[in-house]
Amino acid sequence: MKLDSKVPSGPIQEKWDRKKFEMKLVSPANKKKHTILVVGTGLAGASAAATLSELGYKVINMCIQDSPRRAHSIAAQGGINAAKNYTNDSDSIWRLFYDTVKGGDYRAREANVYRLAQISNNIIDQCVAQGVPFAREYGGLFALRSFGGAQVSRTFYARGQTGQQLLLGAYGALMKEVHRGNIELLTRHEMLDLIVIDGKARGVLARNLLNGDLKRIPADAVVLATGGYSRAFFLSTNAMNCNVSAAWACYKRGAGFANPSFVQIHPTCIPVHGEKQSKLTLMSESLRNDGRIWVPKNKGDKRKPKDIPESDRYYYLEERYPAFGNLVPRDVASRAAKAVCDNGLGVGDTGLAVYLDFRDAIKKDGIETIRAKYGNLFQMYEKITAEDPYQVPMRIYPALHYTMGGLWVDYELMSTIPGLFALGETNFSDHGANRLGASALMQGLADGYFIIPYTIGAYIANTELPPIQESNEAFEQAQSRVQERLEKLFSIKGNKIADRFHKDLGALLWENCGMSRNEAGLKKALQEIPQVRQEFWENLLIPGNSNDLNQELEKAWRVADFLEFGELMVRDALERRESCGGHFREESQTEDNEAKRDDENFSHVAVWEYTGADNEPVRHKEELTFEYVKPTQRSYK
């Protein structure tokens, strides 16, 4: 497997402009001759499909939901970053670049991160032109928030519904092109295999989730924008339909999978409240602008929070990290919450929660000001917990959220399979070992609106792409593989549904490959995951049949992939013998229990190559160099 990042030479400020100028172009007349398949309709997928269609390409856009508006991007709450510096507090493209590289604990490719910071300002202009209703101050200027890992206010937002509003903007652009007849939109279709012909990605095999029909979709290039894989842990903030299957199918066809163990633990989620839960609920990081995080100073203090005086409260983030306080990065805040709970200071029935308290903010600014900023988030919290956060503190605890690992891509967002591109959370490229809050939406839209339209054109202009038919042998082989697996799943006739195996896998991953990891636990997981997988293939129960709407079949297919992927995730974590970002190896920590990197041995991207079901995957490395932001021990004190 060859890993050529294709980063252009020259000063980092000029790399992207140089790349755009050097890339070959496709003339408007020739664009009409090429078909591009975009898998996914979230922010990255919808923005890419709309933009490529507007440029003149024929576009097919598919998603598993009944509408593109149901993509999980809609769940993002707090905001989107951009280096506009409207607040005049010394922000800049360079500072956003610096904060992102540092926040990712120096495990991201510098050139990609700088380009993201450059493009960020264009994203805001694009979304405003689409009518996205960003919050504004009384005089009409944009209102900005602060997010973790930054000492400036650079986050644009629409109350606690930023993802929804941005997705509606991209959805409008997408549906305009659908209405014009330039995009073929396939809803309720799931990609099950990638078609590779002459070493190039030339389409996919998809299943119609309503009637079970297998659909062959040829294309000149494939753009994968299917999100992340934190549902491998079962309980996460992701929707139940989120999965790794499309990316995993590409991995099995030859796409390198980078840093699979890099996952994000979000510090502000509603704690687990029972064994029947199917997902967790995120409470936006933006709440940490005004909410103060604390626990009782004394173990076993069961008083109601309003009865605990200031002298008995431990504002642990403010005390431990005075320079950033409650706005430390997500990984730092998550580890700190786990530490105080492990020390017996946690609150609630389980002791696995801390308080997020708005008492002081309400007293200072008034309840209406807080309601204007966070009203829908407070309402959501009250509906789930039956507690009024205007009157009592929220209870929060870290949970699985975003994934920084994904398909390896070069500077042009192309995977190790020519013609297969990966955008947004599906790739590994921009966040290193920890994503700063409000940067997910930024990356998805940067990739879709402003990067892939250039780079996919360069690929098409430089590549011979003879027409292919649905009768091609590669489609025949893919359909045979998929049909065989479907029949095998149905033939088991066991007595446990897919969710039971998924929960078993999730518990193993959370316990051994979650916030805190050690060699013994990871080796234990590597022994036990194959046992769960073996039982899955011996005792799975799928009611119904494959020729109808069957959500148990959908789950079973995805859980089968998670059971394979989970083992790769643990293997990757075991090989990375350092702490970085949210990935705390107990054997690698500083004297004050902070994460300790090993730059000498692990300043690289780990890229895994599939070598067959019966063989161990091969680990490759893309070495990382830091010319502009020199790695240091991170400090937010």
Side-chain angles (χ1 to χ4, degrees), residues 146-150 266-268 284-295 314-334 336 354-358 360-361 396 636:
S146 296
F147 261 60
H266 198 292
T268 52
S284 170
E285 181 180 332
S286 63
L287 295 169
R288 292 197 271 153
N289 276 264
D290 290 296
R292 301 181 70 191
I293 297 173
W294 63 277
V295 291
Y314 177 25
Y315 295 95
Y316 57 90
L317 292 179
E318 297 174 29
E319 292 186 26
R320 188 165 182 176
Y321 308 102
F324 283 74
N326 295 301
L327 287 172
V328 292
R330 291 174 175 178
D331 60 320
V332 177
S334 296
V354 300
Y355 288 129
L356 178 60
D357 195 346
F358 288 83
D360 294 344
I396 57 170
Y636 294 94

Side-chain angles (χ1 to χ4, degrees), residues 366-403:
I367 196 169
E368 291 305 320
T369 298
I370 299 302
R371 182 174 283 117
K373 289 182 178 180
Y374 313 112
N376 64 302
L377 297 172
F378 278 49
Q379 182 184 45
M380 182 170 66
Y381 182 88
E382 184 173 7
K383 283 188 174 184
I384 292 172
T385 65
E387 294 178 353
D388 181 0
Y390 293 105
Q391 304 299 324
V392 297
M394 293 182 181
R395 284 176 288 118
I396 57 170
Y397 193 70
L400 262 297
H401 179 50
Y402 188 89
T403 55

Side-chain angles (χ1 to χ4, degrees), residues 313-542:
R313 296 184 177 198
Y314 177 25
Y315 295 95
Y316 57 90
L317 292 179
E318 297 174 29
E319 292 186 26
R320 188 165 182 176
Y321 308 102
F324 283 74
N326 295 301
L327 287 172
V328 292
R330 291 174 175 178
D331 60 320
V332 177
S334 296
R335 277 200 307 276
K338 182 179 186 297
V340 295
C341 291
D342 288 349
N343 288 334
L345 301 178
V347 301
D349 295 337
T350 64
L352 295 176
V354 300
Y355 288 129
L356 178 60
D357 195 346
F358 288 83
R359 181 197 65 179
D360 294 344
I362 291 173
K363 183 177 179 180
K364 175 179 177 288
D365 297 327
I367 196 169
E368 291 305 320
T369 298
I370 299 302
R371 182 174 283 117
K373 289 182 178 180
Y374 313 112
N376 64 302
L377 297 172
F378 278 49
Q379 182 184 45
M380 182 170 66
Y381 182 88
E382 184 173 7
K383 283 188 174 184
I384 292 172
T385 65
E387 294 178 353
D388 181 0
Y390 293 105
Q391 304 299 324
V392 297
M394 293 182 181
R395 284 176 288 118
I396 57 170
Y397 193 70
L400 262 297
H401 179 50
Y402 188 89
T403 55
M404 282 76 62
L407 294 186
W408 182 89
V409 293
D410 59 23
Y411 190 70
E412 299 176 8
L413 303 184
M414 189 161 68
S415 72
T416 54
I417 300 176
L420 174 65
F421 297 80
L423 311 188
E425 195 176 358
T426 309
N427 72 39
F428 86 100
S429 66
D430 291 8
H431 306 296
N434 174 59
R435 177 176 67 77
L436 293 185
S439 288
L441 308 184
M442 178 174 61
Q443 186 206 352
L445 293 180
D447 288 356
Y449 281 137
F450 298 108
I451 300 176
I452 194 64
Y454 291 94
T455 60
I456 205 168
Y459 168 75
I460 290 172
N462 282 295
T463 308
E464 193 171 324
L465 297 166
I468 58 169
Q469 305 299 321
E470 293 179 17
S471 58
N472 188 283
E473 180 63 23
F475 279 104
E476 296 285 348
Q477 293 173 358
Q479 185 155 339
S480 177
R481 286 192 300 267
V482 166
Q483 199 65 52
E484 181 181 355
R485 194 188 199 204
L486 287 170
E487 292 172 1
K488 184 177 180 181
L489 286 167
F490 269 103
S491 69
I492 299 170
K493 306 297 183 185
N495 56 27
K496 286 176 69 173
I497 61 174
D499 270 354
R500 292 306 316 165
F501 297 102
H502 197 174
K503 288 181 179 180
D504 291 343
L505 172 66
L508 278 172
L509 291 177
W510 176 250
E511 179 182 349
N512 300 293
C513 195
M515 270 196 289
S516 185
R517 310 165 176 186
N518 58 57
E519 184 173 350
L522 291 167
K523 287 182 175 178
K524 173 188 173 187
L526 276 181
Q527 290 178 337
E528 295 187 7
I529 290 174
Q531 297 171 14
V532 177
R533 186 167 63 247
Q534 180 178 350
E535 187 189 358
F536 172 89
W537 287 104
E538 293 174 351
N539 201 23
L540 173 69
L541 170 65
I542 305 179

